Amino acid sequence: MGLQSGTVTFTCFHLPDPSVADLWSFIDESLREGAYRNGSQGEASAKGFACWEDLFDASVPFAGYHKGEYVAFQFRWDQRKVPPLVLKQYEREAVQAYRAEHDGKLPPRHERLKIREAIQNQLLERVLPQPSGCDVVWAPAQCRLLVGTASLKMLEAFLEHFARVFKLHPIPLYHVQWALHGLSLPENLKDALSRLVSVKSPHAMHEGRFLGYEFLTWLWYQAECRQGRVPLERGDFATVALGGKVVLSRQDDGKERVICTTQAGALDEARTALRQGKMVEEAQWMLMTADNEYTLTLDRDLWAVKGLKTPKQIPHAEEMDSDARFLERMFFIDEVLGVLNAAYGEFLSARLSSSWVSDVFPALRHWIEGGPTSENHDVA
């Protein structure tokens, strides 16, 4: 479910503007340098960039990746894997052969490692590579990179290759980094956020998860007590509503998870979990703008947008112009990210101000204890 799929999943990064004289020449040269090339016989993996339209086309032509203000391509990663049971059986046979040649003695550790490595290499030569890949869309003007996967292994492989080729290091936009690099927060709020979570800490993603828990819980509160209205930059507003599923857990350890649907009368268990001190860990949301309706899932890391369903695209767009189809898809994704940015910015403005303790948190507690039928508190 990448960026080209009917149901979209992607992970967001901030990509600083490269200090180069000619951006598009730099991109062209880097994509060609990092294009996918077949691995040598027996090599465990091979990776590289490929054409947006075809994972098996590594030519990455300019007209193929340059789509309006975006750079669009795919990352291909082929892997050869030997099943552990097969490796174990061959290693056992090799050890038996060694003992037959050395009067029944077991091979010392260094010999055992050599035997294992030799067998691994022999078997890899007999295994066909398994291709996999993900879509990548880079918007240089917005300093934003979207990678069409939520798999940590795929992300790690892509980031390693991208950094080696482009000499650029994308910043993952999870909760704290999203606030610092993805939003236009005033400096005083950035300072307040930095006092809550140390961005330089190697455990920043874990330590800042409370922001994700609080934001998702606050968003549910907003959906029920303020009709889910999210003011947008252009002067109008979007509406956010809870979707078909919500998962709650304790933010200290993430254990004792409660998974609920939002069908009529099915949220009683979720409300009980709230009163017991659990908060929203993951939820499906419906976003409504003036013209479009979307469904997506966010979890406590606030890093990946999962299962995004966009409006149906124009049926004949692909036949007329594949770039038009791409740009329409990116319009939908940009609109969704605009609503999420506005909602998260509104939350942080409240969370990092003195009104959080005096007004917002008491209103949240009142809602948690009384439910949606209690007196509403119109608090940002």
Side-chain angles (χ1 to χ4, degrees):
M1 297 191 300
L3 291 161
Q4 300 188 62
S5 303
T7 302
V8 181
T9 292
F10 59 87
T11 308
C12 302
F13 293 85
H14 172 76
L15 187 58
D17 189 21
S19 300
V20 294
D22 187 336
L23 175 63
W24 289 101
S25 293
F26 166 73
I27 291 172
D28 187 75
E29 292 170 3
S30 299
L31 285 176
R32 293 180 187 280
E33 178 188 344
Y36 174 84
R37 293 174 178 81
N38 290 323
S40 60
Q41 187 70 17
E43 189 174 10
S45 69
K47 61 187 72 168
F49 307 131
C51 183
W52 173 260
E53 287 81 10
D54 186 357
L55 183 65
F56 297 95
D57 180 0
S59 62
V60 286
F62 181 80
Y65 66 77
H66 189 179
K67 300 179 183 295
E69 64 181 42
Y70 302 97
V71 184
F73 56 96
Q74 293 195 66
F75 171 70
R76 177 178 170 182
W77 184 21
D78 289 7
Q79 299 178 81
R80 299 175 189 265
K81 296 181 180 179
V82 178
L85 285 177
V86 174
L87 180 62
K88 187 175 182 179
Q89 176 60 30
Y90 275 83
E91 185 179 350
R92 183 185 296 114
E93 294 174 358
V95 169
Q96 291 173 353
Y98 180 95
R99 295 184 67 180
E101 296 175 1
H102 296 81
D103 300 325
K105 294 181 180 180
L106 288 170
R109 185 174 183 277
H110 70 278
E111 285 293 337
R112 187 71 175 255
L113 292 176
K114 287 173 62 177
I115 290 172
R116 180 177 301 173
E117 182 179 357
I119 293 172
Q120 175 84 9
N121 292 336
Q122 290 172 8
L123 293 177
L124 281 175
E125 293 181 357
R126 298 162 58 182
V127 175
L128 291 174
Q130 301 177 24
S132 59
C134 61
D135 309 322
V136 183
V137 175
W138 177 11
Q142 303 174 45
C143 297
R144 189 184 70 201
L145 185 74
L146 304 181
V147 184
T149 182
S151 164
L152 293 180
K153 287 186 176 180
M154 178 64 77
L155 287 171
E156 183 180 353
F158 165 74
L159 291 173
E160 184 276 331
H161 186 72
F162 186 87
R164 182 181 63 81
V165 174
F166 280 88
K167 305 298 187 294
L168 297 173
H169 300 277
I171 300 171
L173 291 182
Y174 55 81
H175 39 71
V176 179
Q177 299 286 20
W178 179 14
L180 296 177
H181 297 284
L183 304 178
S184 299
L185 285 182
E187 288 302 320
N188 65 314
L189 293 186
K190 289 185 178 182
D191 292 341
L193 182 60
S194 298
R195 288 193 293 270
L196 285 176
V197 183
S198 174
V199 180
K200 295 182 180 180
S201 168
H203 308 293
M205 187 170 183
H206 175 75
E207 293 172 357
R209 275 182 177 157
F210 71 90
L211 289 169
Y213 277 104
E214 292 179 1
F215 171 60
L216 295 179
T217 305
W218 173 88
L219 200 57
W220 182 8
Y221 161 74
Q222 295 288 90
E224 288 196 341
C225 296
R226 292 187 59 202
Q227 294 78 50
R229 290 167 66 99
V230 178
L232 303 178
E233 288 185 357
R234 56 181 181 262
D236 54 354
F237 64 89
T239 304
V240 179
L242 193 63
K245 178 182 176 182
V246 59
V247 180
L248 301 97
S249 68
R250 295 189 182 277
Q251 57 179 316
D252 51 355
D253 57 11
K255 296 180 180 179
E256 300 180 17
R257 301 171 81 237
V258 175
I259 304 174
C260 307
T261 64
T262 61
Q263 298 172 355
L267 278 176
D268 291 342
E269 187 178 3
R271 300 189 194 285
T272 300
L274 281 176
R275 288 191 287 272
Q276 292 174 345
K278 296 181 176 66
M279 302 184 76
V280 179
E281 175 186 323
E282 179 178 293
Q284 185 185 67
W285 304 96
M286 293 185 293
L287 308 185
M288 285 75 71
T289 65
D291 301 311
N292 299 307
E293 182 173 325
Y294 306 91
T295 303
L296 60 93
T297 296
L298 284 178
D299 65 25
R300 62 191 178 183
D301 291 329
L302 307 181
W303 186 15
V305 173
K306 303 173 185 177
L308 170 62
K309 293 182 180 179
T310 65
K312 289 186 177 180
Q313 296 189 255
I314 301 172
H316 56 77
E318 186 174 10
E319 299 174 6
M320 294 179 61
D321 186 352
S322 61
D323 283 359
R325 184 175 178 82
F326 168 85
L327 293 173
E328 185 184 31
R329 172 59 61 92
M330 291 310 303
F331 171 83
F332 292 146
I333 291 174
D334 286 341
E335 187 168 55
V336 167
L337 291 176
V339 175
L340 294 178
N341 284 340
Y344 194 44
E346 185 180 4
F347 162 76
L348 289 173
S349 295
R351 179 62 177 86
L352 301 174
S353 70
S354 58
S355 66
W356 179 260
V357 175
S358 62
D359 300 320
V360 183
F361 188 71
L364 278 168
R365 292 303 309 172
H366 184 81
W367 167 70
I368 289 172
E369 295 298 330
T373 59
S374 63
E375 181 183 355
N376 294 341
H377 292 251
D378 192 16
V379 180

